[in-house]
């Protein structure tokens, strides 16, 4: 729990407004990508139902972590934003922010917190409302949880018709 309750960085080291993830800005270049992890390392993802993150904690953690995985799904019909959030909430994946930076693009920032020291599990999901393709980029403090997290996303989004 202490990992996610850190004080925000001093004002001089805070990201500038242009790098604010939750404002959907382009910001600075992303952290380097981590090497792919073996998918059979963990078979179950157990998230803490009581933990939450503030927007500052989410942003600080997102900037610190490298991308640990990616999932691409295809919707034949675009579900309402609330349905996507609800489908993931049933698996203790919470939405930090969502919005529409352009009329045809929906962007979501999701998070979960692993039990037993699993740390933060973050996702930036971008849905192209024209093509129906959603790309989920994952950043996990415990990279061995990336594959189980992707499986949870895949299963949850499949209930809405994603393939």
């Amino acid at each position: 729990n202490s990992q996610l309750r850190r004080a925000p960085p001093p004002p001089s080291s805070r990201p500038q407004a242009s790098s604010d993830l939750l404002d959907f800005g382009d910001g600075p270049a992303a952290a380097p990508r981590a090497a792919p992890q073996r998918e059979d390392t963990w078979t179950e993802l157990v998230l803490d139902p009581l933990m939450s993150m503030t927007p500052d904690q989410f942003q600080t953690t997102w900037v610190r972590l490298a991308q640990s995985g990616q999932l691409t799904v295809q919707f034949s019909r675009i579900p309402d934003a609330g349905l996507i959030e609800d489908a993931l909430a049933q698996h203790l994946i919470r939405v930090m922010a969502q919005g529409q930076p352009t009329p045809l693009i929906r962007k979501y920032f999701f998070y979960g917190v692993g039990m037993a020291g699993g740390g933060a599990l973050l996702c930036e999901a971008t849905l192209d409302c024209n093509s129906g393709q959603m790309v989920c980029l994952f950043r996990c403090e415990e990279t061995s949880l990336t594959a189980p997290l992707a499986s949870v996303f895949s299963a949850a989004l499949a209930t809405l018709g994603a393939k």
Side-chain angles (χ1 to χ4, degrees):
N1 292 354
S2 63
Q3 289 179 323
L4 300 175
R5 298 287 181 213
R6 282 183 274 220
S12 63
S13 67
R14 280 202 149 150
Q16 299 299 316
S18 65
S19 66
D20 187 351
L21 294 171
L22 301 179
D23 281 343
F24 306 109
D26 291 333
R33 292 180 183 219
Q37 298 296 311
R38 288 176 34 143
E39 292 194 17
D40 62 351
T41 306
W42 286 68
T43 57
E44 185 178 357
L45 180 64
V46 181
L47 298 178
D48 188 336
L50 303 177
M51 279 300 295
S52 63
M53 296 180 85
T54 67
D56 282 346
Q57 290 168 329
F58 183 99
Q59 175 129 355
T60 300
T61 304
W62 181 270
V63 170
R64 180 175 48 84
L65 298 177
Q67 181 178 324
S68 58
Q70 178 175 324
L71 170 71
T72 301
V73 298
Q74 184 70 44
F75 288 100
S76 55
R77 268 180 86 195
I78 307 299
D80 291 335
L83 292 176
I84 292 173
E85 294 172 24
D86 291 345
L88 289 161
Q90 291 178 22
H91 298 276
L92 302 177
I93 305 289
R94 297 179 175 108
V95 66
M96 176 59 65
Q98 74 91 8
Q100 228 168 326
T102 71
L104 293 177
I105 299 294
R106 250 194 258 158
K107 194 172 256 202
Y108 302 84
F109 290 95
F110 293 104
Y111 73 96
V113 179
M115 293 289 285
L121 305 135
L122 310 179
C123 175
E124 174 187 12
T126 304
L127 175 61
D128 182 324
C129 297
N130 189 42
S131 71
Q133 184 177 73
M134 177 181 263
V135 177
C136 302
L137 304 176
F138 301 109
R139 295 182 184 208
C140 300
E141 285 188 303
E142 179 61 50
T143 58
S144 63
L145 293 176
T146 302
L149 179 61
S151 294
V152 167
F153 267 77
S154 183
L157 297 173
T159 66
L160 302 174
K163 295 182 182 191

